[in-house]
Amino acid sequence: MSKRSLNGTDFTAMVLAGAQRLAEQAEHVNTLNVFPVPDGDTGTNMNLTMTAGVTELKNHGSGGLGSRASTLSKGLLMGARGNSGVILSQLFRGFSRYAASLEELNTVQFASALQSGVETAYKAVVKPVEGTILTVAKEAAKHAAFYARRTTDVTELMGEVLTKAKEALAGTPDLLPVLKQVGVVDSGGQGLVYIYEGFLEYLAGNAIADPSDVPGQASVHSQTELHTQAATAALYAPASAQAKLDTEDIEFLYDMEFFINRKLGEVKDAPFDEEQFRKALSENGDSIIVISDDEIIKVHVHSKTPGDVLNLALRYGEITQIHILNMREQHRDLLTAGMDAASMPELFADIPAEPARPVDPAEVPADELAPYGFIAVASGQGISDIFTSLGVDVVLSGGQTMNPSTEDFVKAIESISTEHVFVLPNNSNIILAAQQARDLLKEQRSVIVIPSKSIPQGIAAAFAFQEEEGVDSNEENMLNAVQHVKTGQVTYAVRDTTFDDLEITAGHYIGIADSKIVATEEGLLETSQGLLGKMLTFGDETVTILVGEENDAEMTDALVAWINEEYPDVEVEVHHGGQPIYYYLFSVEP
């Protein structure tokens, strides 16, 4: 179906179709994980990220293409999970920045918007790696810019974009040798290709039956339920926060969220000073987030006087998509229901339910604030208890099987009344979302993300913290601790493959040292011994074993006896971690 331009309705339908296509193939994307482990989650993360964006677009998207693209970008940004989800959100954030002032896009403008997305995504990643979703997006956008000069048909252009994206995807193993070694293409790039396939399906006249529905909701649930439901139940759980807070202590009780459309309103041309706007909001409010994106301003604030906030916003344009919640009312409901933490969100809500807010740092004199607060990500009750015992204020339930979103980190940070907040992601796939939350709050809070890539690294960092030290010294000490701990994991293989000359058989156990598979055997004990044999070197003094939820006490005793016999100078500590999927997590320290 030939189209000379895309309007807002076209854009919404394209996105719905792209999300539907991704939802249908999310499990396949999961299987493309380089390691043959049972918790590959790229498809899950991209799917949940896209669902958050689509939910926002469905609920609040209106007007021209630029306005709708900004709405989608906001939903993706706050709902982003994992590295792939964060990169996906940045691709559309750059797209929306280019398109924000446009009602429609022709072929040249569409290509330019794709290129803007690529530039934004590359800037968001500290060390971009070629052979990933970034490469697929880059090559597709580059070809779009070339071909847009040769056609005025957006459908034809999208067909070319998809063809080039598939070609770039097929070439990812040539750029990342590990992909070629295990015989897969990049999982994030494959997810993006599925989204582009959905775009073309709509443009070619094969739209989903009812674009007013959130696409793939039923199918998404079935494909990701095992990955998400258990973790989602405890995704945001600051211990006993609601019971410890009196309802009347919630001073800034109105939770407000809205957009300012700079193109509309009687004073639409008034100059906008973001710093002055934030300062004015802070006079009677806190938990302030202002995202100024060309002619659309996204505002979130907790305020005593919502009328004053809206009058202030009206100076800069027309207010749209207003949402105001009374947090005292929410808190009363939680206490009445006997709940001690934020209620479990629906699986496909774009953000978790807003928990009643503890006292915000802005309300407390600086000399009365505790200097430090901690947030850690963990999977398993035993591991959560360890972090709590080390002084962690909020433990977000998550890990490989369920990555917290940017919004989850924002809410957790806002719940802590301290001068500085340290965040321990404890998973390489969660670091970008934590950093994105830090960047969103940089004007209001001092947030330090320690890039811990495993639970043992996070525990080591927490141990290295010293209350009497300054923030810079503590950051340095924790970073050093992270670098000196060695991490091991034991799980099972979900497919036959070859990895660094190891022949891996589906169903056999595999041992992973940091980011490399180094052992595989049919037996759990033999695999664990092989892994520890690779990890332990001269001078190592301590082995810590975190036992998973599928605990075999006799197996663990046999493993400890073997360590004591083979490495008599090494001290062994055993703790119940309760983590899923991974039978053992090992920490080796000098």
Side-chain angles (χ1 to χ4, degrees):
M1 183 167 57
S2 178
K3 280 186 175 292
R4 294 182 63 86
S5 64
L6 295 175
N7 58 28
T9 301
D10 291 328
F11 179 77
T12 297
M14 279 175 58
V15 170
L16 293 174
Q20 174 70 53
R21 180 64 176 146
L22 176 63
E24 293 167 351
Q25 298 297 328
E27 196 56 41
H28 175 248
V29 175
N30 282 339
T31 67
L32 297 176
N33 190 56
V34 169
F35 282 2
V37 293
D39 57 354
D41 57 1
T42 299
T44 300
N45 285 332
M46 294 185 74
N47 192 15
L48 291 176
T49 301
M50 200 68 181
T51 299
V54 164
T55 301
E56 187 73 16
L57 185 58
K58 177 193 173 188
N59 292 338
H60 308 303
S62 61
L65 186 147
S67 176
R68 298 190 191 209
S70 296
T71 300
L72 173 69
S73 173
K74 179 254 182 179
L76 293 172
L77 181 71
M78 303 307 284
R81 299 178 189 271
N83 294 343
S84 56
V86 171
I87 292 172
L88 183 65
S89 74
Q90 294 299 314
L91 288 172
F92 281 99
R93 191 179 192 192
F95 184 102
S96 71
R97 283 175 172 171
Y98 177 87
S101 62
L102 301 173
E103 294 292 308
E104 298 185 355
L105 294 181
N106 59 29
T107 54
V108 173
Q109 291 167 329
F110 181 67
S112 296
L114 291 176
Q115 181 58 37
S116 177
V118 169
E119 292 169 359
T120 300
Y122 267 85
K123 289 177 182 178
V125 180
V126 176
K127 294 181 180 179
V129 176
E130 297 301 336
T132 65
I133 182 176
L134 290 170
T135 302
V136 175
K138 179 181 69 175
E139 294 301 319
K142 181 179 178 181
H143 183 67
F146 166 79
Y147 201 82
R149 299 192 296 269
R150 288 157 175 77
T151 183
T152 59
D153 184 352
V154 177
T155 304
E156 182 182 347
L157 177 62
M158 190 66 234
E160 288 289 322
V161 168
L162 176 59
T163 298
K164 190 64 177 181
K166 289 181 175 179
E167 179 184 317
L169 177 66
T172 55
D174 295 325
L175 297 174
L176 271 182
V178 68
L179 297 176
K180 179 174 288 187
Q181 182 179 352
V182 299
V184 296
V185 294
D186 178 68
S187 54
Q190 179 66 80
L192 184 63
V193 165
Y194 284 137
I195 292 171
Y196 285 172
E197 284 181 354
F199 285 3
L200 184 60
E201 285 175 4
Y202 165 74
L203 293 173
N206 302 317
I208 56 178
D210 186 1
S212 66
D213 291 333
V214 178
Q217 187 151 317
S219 60
V220 175
H221 188 279
S222 62
Q223 291 163 356
T224 64
E225 189 174 32
L226 293 178
H227 292 276
T228 58
Q229 274 192 335
T232 303
L235 185 60
Y236 182 74
S240 303
Q242 312 309 321
K244 294 179 181 178
L245 178 68
D246 287 335
T247 300
E248 299 308 313
D249 285 344
I250 304 175
E251 182 178 2
F252 299 100
L253 69 161
Y254 295 105
D255 181 359
M256 305 181 64
E257 186 175 274
F258 56 88
F259 285 85
I260 305 173
N261 191 325
R262 300 276 286 141
K263 296 187 295 181
L264 303 174
E266 296 179 0
V267 288
K268 61 184 180 181
D269 296 325
F272 179 69
D273 186 322
E274 184 172 329
E275 183 177 352
Q276 289 298 320
F277 184 67
R278 289 178 183 274
K279 185 178 297 184
L281 288 177
S282 67
E283 291 180 3
N284 281 299
D286 72 347
S287 297
I288 299 165
I289 299 177
V290 178
I291 302 174
S292 179
D293 210 348
D294 295 329
E295 296 181 348
I296 299 293
I297 304 168
K298 165 70 173 61
V299 180
H300 174 273
V301 61
H302 296 168
S303 177
K304 296 179 183 177
T305 54
D308 291 346
V309 171
L310 296 177
N311 285 334
L312 175 65
L314 283 169
R315 300 176 186 175
Y316 304 106
E318 189 172 290
I319 301 174
T320 63
Q321 302 173 35
I322 305 171
H323 297 272
I324 303 177
L325 295 175
N326 185 321
M327 291 188 293
R328 288 182 184 172
E329 183 179 42
Q330 285 184 310
H331 188 250
R332 294 186 193 103
D333 290 343
L334 288 175
L335 295 181
T336 301
M339 297 183 64
D340 204 22
S343 59
M344 176 178 173
E346 294 182 10
L347 184 59
F348 295 96
D350 53 334
I351 57 175
E354 174 79 18
R357 181 188 56 82
V359 180
D360 186 89
E363 303 169 31
V364 183
D367 57 358
E368 295 182 15
L369 280 177
Y372 301 114
F374 273 87
I375 296 166
V377 180
S379 179
Q381 186 58 50
I383 295 174
S384 297
D385 291 343
I386 290 172
F387 277 114
T388 300
S389 72
L390 292 173
V392 171
D393 300 277
V394 177
V395 178
L396 289 175
S397 180
Q400 280 298 104
T401 53
M402 182 62 176
N403 296 160
S405 68
T406 299
E407 179 76 2
D408 298 327
F409 280 111
V410 167
K411 288 182 178 296
I413 293 165
E414 289 179 336
S415 76
I416 300 176
S417 299
T418 59
E419 293 183 61
H420 311 284
V421 178
F422 287 101
V423 180
L424 303 172
N426 301 332
N427 187 296
S428 60
N429 204 32
I430 298 175
I431 294 172
L432 277 182
Q435 292 173 336
Q436 188 157 268
R438 174 201 63 196
D439 294 343
L440 284 172
L441 296 173
K442 64 183 178 182
E443 299 296 330
Q444 296 87 46
R445 302 299 303 275
S446 168
V447 179
I448 304 94
V449 177
I450 303 297
S452 51
K453 297 181 180 180
S454 66
I455 293 296
Q457 286 186 354
I459 292 174
F463 263 117
F465 171 77
Q466 298 293 325
E467 183 78 29
E468 66 276 7
E469 296 286 341
V471 62
D472 292 337
S473 295
N474 268 312
E475 181 179 6
E476 181 179 355
N477 292 339
M478 286 188 280
L479 289 173
N480 286 335
V482 164
Q483 293 168 2
H484 285 94
V485 66
K486 291 182 281 188
T487 298
Q489 306 169 83
V490 181
T491 185
Y492 63 91
V494 295
R495 68 171 185 268
D496 294 342
T497 189
T498 301
F499 194 91
D500 283 348
D501 298 326
L502 281 176
E503 295 294 332
I504 299 171
T505 302
H508 285 194
Y509 297 96
I510 54 177
I512 305 169
D514 291 322
S515 59
K516 183 178 181 181
I517 300 175
V518 298
T520 180
E521 298 287 349
E522 189 173 358
L524 175 58
L525 180 60
E526 293 77 11
T527 303
S528 301
Q529 292 170 342
L531 171 59
L532 284 170
K534 296 286 187 180
M535 293 177 64
L536 284 161
T537 57
F538 179 77
D540 290 331
E541 296 182 355
T542 305
V543 172
T544 302
I545 303 174
L546 297 173
V547 182
E549 62 181 356
E550 297 186 24
N551 181 17
D552 185 326
E554 291 184 4
M555 183 76 68
T556 303
D557 289 343
L559 180 60
V560 172
W562 176 83
I563 297 172
N564 288 333
E565 181 178 349
E566 296 292 325
Y567 304 92
D569 295 330
V570 172
E571 180 182 350
V572 182
E573 296 181 7
V574 180
H575 301 279
H576 175 69
Q579 69 274 6
I581 307 297
Y582 291 88
Y583 302 96
Y584 293 114
L585 296 180
F586 298 133
S587 172
V588 174
E589 298 179 71

